[in-house]
Coordinates of all heavy atoms in Angstrom, one line a residue:
A28 N 75.8 -80.7 -37.4 CA 77.2 -80.3 -37.3 C 77.2 -78.7 -37.2 O 76.5 -78.1 -38.0 CB 78.0 -80.7 -38.5
A29 N 78.0 -78.3 -36.4 CA 78.2 -76.8 -36.1 C 79.7 -76.4 -36.3 O 80.5 -76.9 -35.6 CB 77.7 -76.4 -34.7
F30 N 80.0 -75.5 -37.3 CA 81.3 -74.9 -37.4 C 81.3 -73.6 -36.8 O 80.4 -72.8 -37.0 CB 81.6 -74.8 -38.9 CG 81.9 -76.1 -39.6 CD1 80.9 -77.0 -40.0 CD2 83.3 -76.4 -39.9 CE1 81.1 -78.2 -40.7 CE2 83.5 -77.6 -40.6 CZ 82.4 -78.6 -41.0
D31 N 82.5 -73.3 -36.1 CA 82.8 -71.9 -35.6 C 84.0 -71.4 -36.1 O 85.0 -72.1 -35.8 CB 82.7 -72.0 -34.1 CG 82.7 -70.6 -33.5 OD1 83.0 -69.6 -34.2 OD2 82.4 -70.4 -32.2
C32 N 83.9 -70.4 -36.9 CA 85.3 -70.1 -37.7 C 85.7 -68.6 -37.4 O 84.9 -67.7 -37.6 CB 84.9 -70.1 -39.3 SG 84.2 -71.7 -39.8
D33 N 86.8 -68.5 -36.8 CA 87.4 -67.2 -36.6 C 87.7 -66.6 -37.9 O 88.2 -67.2 -38.7 CB 88.6 -67.2 -35.7 CG 88.3 -67.4 -34.3 OD1 87.2 -67.4 -33.9 OD2 89.3 -67.4 -33.5
E34 N 87.4 -65.2 -38.2 CA 87.7 -64.6 -39.3 C 87.6 -63.1 -39.1 O 86.5 -62.5 -39.1 CB 86.8 -64.9 -40.5 CG 87.1 -64.3 -41.8 CD 88.6 -64.2 -42.1 OE1 89.0 -65.3 -42.6 OE2 89.2 -63.1 -42.0
P35 N 88.7 -62.4 -38.7 CA 88.7 -61.0 -38.3 C 88.4 -60.1 -39.6 O 88.3 -58.8 -39.4 CB 90.1 -60.6 -37.8 CG 90.9 -61.8 -38.4 CD 90.1 -63.0 -38.6
E36 N 88.6 -60.6 -40.8 CA 88.4 -59.8 -42.1 C 87.3 -60.4 -43.0 O 87.4 -60.7 -44.1 CB 89.6 -59.8 -42.8 CG 90.9 -59.3 -41.9 CD 92.2 -59.4 -42.7 OE1 92.6 -60.5 -43.3 OE2 92.9 -58.4 -42.9
M37 N 86.1 -60.5 -42.4 CA 84.9 -61.0 -43.1 C 84.6 -60.3 -44.4 O 84.2 -60.7 -45.4 CB 83.7 -61.0 -42.3 CG 83.6 -62.2 -41.2 SD 83.6 -63.9 -42.1 CE 82.1 -63.8 -43.0
D38 N 84.8 -58.9 -44.4 CA 84.7 -58.1 -45.6 C 85.6 -58.5 -46.7 O 85.4 -57.9 -47.8 CB 84.7 -56.6 -45.2 CG 83.6 -56.2 -44.3 OD1 82.6 -56.9 -44.3 OD2 83.8 -55.2 -43.6
R39 N 86.7 -59.2 -46.4 CA 87.7 -59.5 -47.5 C 87.5 -60.9 -48.0 O 88.0 -61.3 -49.1 CB 89.0 -59.4 -46.9 CG 89.6 -58.0 -46.6 CD 91.0 -57.9 -46.4 NE 91.8 -58.7 -47.3 CZ 92.9 -59.3 -47.0 NH1 93.3 -59.4 -45.8 NH2 93.6 -59.9 -48.0
V40 N 86.6 -61.7 -47.4 CA 86.5 -63.2 -47.9 C 85.7 -63.2 -49.2 O 84.9 -62.4 -49.5 CB 85.9 -64.0 -46.8 CG1 86.7 -64.1 -45.6 CG2 84.4 -63.6 -46.6
V41 N 86.0 -64.2 -50.0 CA 85.3 -64.4 -51.3 C 84.3 -65.5 -51.2 O 84.7 -66.7 -51.0 CB 86.4 -64.7 -52.5 CG1 85.8 -65.0 -53.7 CG2 87.5 -63.7 -52.5
A42 N 83.1 -65.1 -51.4 CA 81.9 -66.0 -51.4 C 80.8 -65.3 -52.1 O 80.5 -64.1 -51.8 CB 81.5 -66.5 -50.0
V43 N 80.1 -66.0 -52.8 CA 78.9 -65.5 -53.6 C 77.6 -66.4 -53.3 O 77.9 -67.6 -53.0 CB 79.2 -65.3 -55.0 CG1 80.3 -64.3 -55.3 CG2 79.4 -66.7 -55.8
E44 N 76.5 -65.8 -53.5 CA 75.3 -66.6 -53.4 C 75.1 -67.4 -54.7 O 75.2 -66.9 -55.8 CB 74.1 -65.8 -53.2 CG 74.0 -65.1 -51.9 CD 72.8 -64.3 -51.7 OE1 71.7 -64.3 -52.5 OE2 72.7 -63.5 -50.7
R45 N 75.0 -68.7 -54.6 CA 75.0 -69.7 -55.7 C 73.8 -70.6 -55.7 O 73.2 -70.8 -54.6 CB 76.3 -70.6 -55.6 CG 77.6 -69.9 -55.7 CD 78.8 -70.8 -55.7 NE 80.1 -70.2 -55.6 CZ 80.8 -69.8 -56.8 NH1 80.2 -70.1 -58.0 NH2 81.9 -69.1 -56.8
K46 N 73.5 -71.1 -56.9 CA 72.4 -72.1 -56.9 C 72.9 -73.4 -56.3 O 74.1 -73.6 -56.2 CB 72.1 -72.3 -58.4 CG 71.5 -71.1 -59.1 CD 71.1 -71.5 -60.5 CE 70.6 -70.3 -61.3 NZ 70.3 -70.7 -62.8
P47 N 72.0 -74.3 -55.8 CA 72.3 -75.5 -55.2 C 73.3 -76.3 -56.1 O 73.0 -76.4 -57.3 CB 71.0 -76.3 -55.0 CG 70.1 -75.1 -54.9 CD 70.5 -74.0 -55.8
N48 N 74.2 -76.9 -55.6 CA 75.2 -77.8 -56.4 C 76.0 -77.1 -57.4 O 76.4 -77.7 -58.4 CB 74.4 -79.0 -57.1 CG 74.0 -80.1 -56.0 OD1 74.6 -80.1 -54.9 ND2 73.0 -80.9 -56.3
D49 N 76.4 -75.9 -57.2 CA 77.2 -75.2 -58.1 C 78.6 -75.8 -57.9 O 79.1 -75.7 -56.8 CB 77.2 -73.7 -57.7 CG 78.1 -72.9 -58.7 OD1 79.1 -73.3 -59.2 OD2 77.6 -71.7 -59.0
P50 N 79.3 -76.3 -58.9 CA 80.5 -77.0 -58.7 C 81.6 -76.1 -58.4 O 82.7 -76.6 -57.9 CB 80.8 -77.6 -60.1 CG 80.0 -76.9 -61.1 CD 78.7 -76.5 -60.3
D51 N 81.5 -74.7 -58.5 CA 82.5 -73.8 -58.2 C 82.5 -73.4 -56.7 O 83.3 -72.5 -56.4 CB 82.4 -72.6 -59.1 CG 82.8 -72.9 -60.6 OD1 83.6 -73.9 -60.7 OD2 82.2 -72.2 -61.5
L52 N 81.6 -73.9 -56.0 CA 81.4 -73.4 -54.6 C 82.8 -73.7 -53.8 O 83.0 -73.0 -52.9 CB 80.3 -74.1 -53.9 CG 80.0 -73.8 -52.5 CD1 78.4 -73.8 -52.2 CD2 80.6 -74.6 -51.4
W53 N 83.5 -74.7 -54.1 CA 84.7 -75.0 -53.5 C 85.7 -73.9 -53.5 O 86.7 -73.8 -52.6 CB 85.4 -76.3 -54.0 CG 85.9 -76.2 -55.4 CD1 85.3 -76.3 -56.5 CD2 87.3 -75.8 -55.7 NE1 86.2 -76.0 -57.7 CE2 87.3 -75.6 -57.2 CE3 88.4 -75.5 -54.9 CZ2 88.5 -75.4 -57.7 CZ3 89.6 -75.1 -55.7 CH2 89.6 -75.1 -57.0
Q54 N 85.6 -72.9 -54.4 CA 86.5 -71.9 -54.5 C 86.2 -70.7 -53.6 O 86.9 -69.9 -53.4 CB 86.4 -71.2 -55.9 CG 86.9 -72.3 -57.1 CD 86.9 -71.8 -58.4 OE1 87.5 -70.8 -58.8 NE2 86.0 -72.2 -59.3
D55 N 85.0 -70.9 -52.9 CA 84.6 -69.9 -52.0 C 85.1 -70.1 -50.5 O 85.7 -71.1 -50.2 CB 82.9 -69.8 -51.9 CG 82.3 -69.3 -53.1 OD1 82.9 -68.8 -54.0 OD2 81.1 -69.4 -53.3
N56 N 84.7 -69.1 -49.7 CA 85.0 -69.2 -48.2 C 84.0 -70.2 -47.8 O 82.8 -69.9 -47.8 CB 84.9 -67.9 -47.7 CG 85.3 -67.8 -46.2 OD1 86.5 -68.0 -46.0 ND2 84.4 -67.4 -45.3
N57 N 84.5 -71.5 -47.4 CA 83.4 -72.5 -47.2 C 84.0 -73.4 -46.0 O 85.2 -73.4 -45.6 CB 83.2 -73.3 -48.4 CG 84.4 -74.2 -48.9 OD1 84.5 -75.2 -48.3 ND2 85.1 -73.7 -49.9
V58 N 83.0 -74.3 -45.6 CA 83.3 -75.5 -44.7 C 82.8 -76.7 -45.4 O 81.8 -76.6 -46.2 CB 82.8 -75.2 -43.4 CG1 83.5 -74.1 -42.6 CG2 81.3 -74.9 -43.4
E59 N 83.3 -77.9 -45.1 CA 82.9 -79.1 -45.7 C 82.8 -80.3 -44.7 O 83.7 -80.2 -43.8 CB 83.9 -79.4 -46.8 CG 83.9 -78.4 -48.0 CD 85.1 -78.7 -48.9 OE1 86.2 -78.2 -48.6 OE2 84.9 -79.3 -49.9
L60 N 81.9 -81.2 -44.9 CA 81.9 -82.4 -44.2 C 82.1 -83.6 -45.2 O 81.6 -83.6 -46.3 CB 80.5 -82.6 -43.5 CG 80.1 -81.7 -42.5 CD1 79.3 -80.5 -43.1 CD2 79.3 -82.3 -41.3
F61 N 83.0 -84.6 -44.7 CA 83.1 -85.9 -45.5 C 82.6 -87.0 -44.6 O 83.3 -87.2 -43.6 CB 84.6 -86.0 -45.9 CG 85.1 -84.8 -46.8 CD1 85.4 -83.6 -46.3 CD2 85.1 -85.0 -48.1 CE1 85.9 -82.6 -47.1 CE2 85.6 -84.0 -49.0 CZ 86.0 -82.8 -48.5
L62 N 81.6 -87.7 -44.9 CA 81.0 -88.6 -44.1 C 80.9 -90.0 -44.7 O 80.2 -90.2 -45.8 CB 79.5 -88.2 -43.7 CG 79.3 -86.9 -43.1 CD1 77.9 -86.6 -43.0 CD2 80.2 -86.6 -41.8
N63 N 81.7 -90.9 -44.2 CA 81.7 -92.4 -44.7 C 80.9 -93.2 -43.7 O 81.6 -93.6 -42.7 CB 83.1 -92.8 -44.9 CG 83.2 -94.2 -45.1 OD1 84.1 -95.1 -44.4 ND2 82.4 -94.9 -46.0
L64 N 79.7 -93.3 -43.8 CA 78.9 -94.0 -42.8 C 79.0 -95.4 -42.6 O 78.8 -96.0 -41.5 CB 77.3 -93.6 -43.1 CG 76.9 -92.2 -43.1 CD1 75.7 -91.9 -43.8 CD2 76.9 -91.5 -41.8
S65 N 79.4 -96.2 -43.7 CA 79.5 -97.6 -43.6 C 80.8 -98.0 -42.9 O 80.9 -99.1 -42.5 CB 79.5 -98.2 -45.0 OG 80.7 -97.9 -45.8
G66 N 81.8 -97.0 -42.9 CA 83.1 -97.4 -42.3 C 84.0 -98.1 -43.3 O 85.1 -98.5 -42.8
N67 N 83.5 -98.3 -44.4 CA 84.5 -99.0 -45.5 C 85.5 -98.2 -46.1 O 86.5 -98.6 -46.8 CB 83.7 -99.8 -46.6 CG 83.0 -98.7 -47.5 OD1 83.1 -97.5 -47.3 ND2 82.2 -99.2 -48.4
R68 N 85.5 -96.9 -45.8 CA 86.5 -95.9 -46.3 C 86.6 -95.9 -47.8 O 87.6 -95.7 -48.4 CB 87.9 -96.2 -45.7 CG 87.9 -95.9 -44.2 CD 89.3 -96.2 -43.5 NE 89.2 -96.1 -42.1 CZ 89.3 -94.9 -41.4 NH1 89.5 -93.8 -42.1 NH2 89.1 -94.8 -40.1
K69 N 85.4 -96.2 -48.4 CA 85.3 -96.0 -49.8 C 84.2 -95.1 -50.3 O 84.5 -94.1 -50.9 CB 84.9 -97.5 -50.4 CG 86.1 -98.5 -50.4 CD 87.0 -98.3 -51.6 CE 88.0 -99.3 -51.7 NZ 88.9 -99.1 -52.8
E70 N 83.0 -95.4 -50.1 CA 81.8 -94.5 -50.4 C 81.6 -93.4 -49.3 O 81.7 -93.8 -48.2 CB 80.6 -95.3 -50.6 CG 80.6 -96.2 -51.9 CD 81.1 -97.6 -51.3 OE1 81.1 -97.8 -50.1 OE2 81.4 -98.4 -52.2
Y71 N 81.5 -92.2 -49.7 CA 81.2 -91.1 -48.7 C 80.4 -90.0 -49.4 O 80.4 -89.7 -50.5 CB 82.6 -90.6 -48.2 CG 83.5 -90.1 -49.3 CD1 83.7 -88.7 -49.5 CD2 84.4 -91.0 -50.0 CE1 84.6 -88.3 -50.4 CE2 85.3 -90.4 -50.9 CZ 85.3 -89.1 -51.2 OH 86.1 -88.6 -52.2
W72 N 79.9 -89.2 -48.4 CA 79.1 -88.0 -48.8 C 80.0 -86.8 -48.6 O 80.7 -86.6 -47.5 CB 77.9 -87.8 -47.9 CG 76.8 -89.0 -48.0 CD1 76.8 -90.2 -47.4 CD2 75.9 -89.1 -49.1 NE1 75.8 -90.9 -47.8 CE2 75.1 -90.3 -48.9 CE3 75.5 -88.1 -50.2 CZ2 74.1 -90.6 -49.7 CZ3 74.4 -88.6 -51.0 CH2 73.7 -89.8 -50.7
H73 N 79.9 -85.9 -49.6 CA 80.8 -84.7 -49.5 C 79.7 -83.5 -49.5 O 79.0 -83.3 -50.5 CB 81.6 -84.6 -50.7 CG 82.4 -83.3 -50.9 ND1 83.0 -82.9 -52.1 CD2 82.8 -82.5 -49.9 CE1 83.6 -81.8 -51.9 NE2 83.5 -81.4 -50.7
I74 N 79.6 -82.8 -48.4 CA 78.7 -81.9 -48.1 C 79.4 -80.5 -47.9 O 80.3 -80.5 -47.0 CB 77.8 -82.2 -47.0 CG1 77.1 -83.6 -47.3 CG2 76.7 -81.1 -46.7 CD1 76.3 -84.2 -46.2
A75 N 79.1 -79.4 -48.5 CA 79.8 -78.1 -48.2 C 78.8 -77.0 -48.2 O 77.7 -77.1 -48.9 CB 80.8 -78.0 -49.5

């Protein structure tokens, strides 16, 4: 998966280097994938 994000003010965005699976990452400048592979619309992977 490839994200291409316009952002003319990269020096203003909030993001820090974090350890894997830091639960506060969602507060950063980020992109996310939600993948329900079975198609049952129940279980899914949340990757950010």
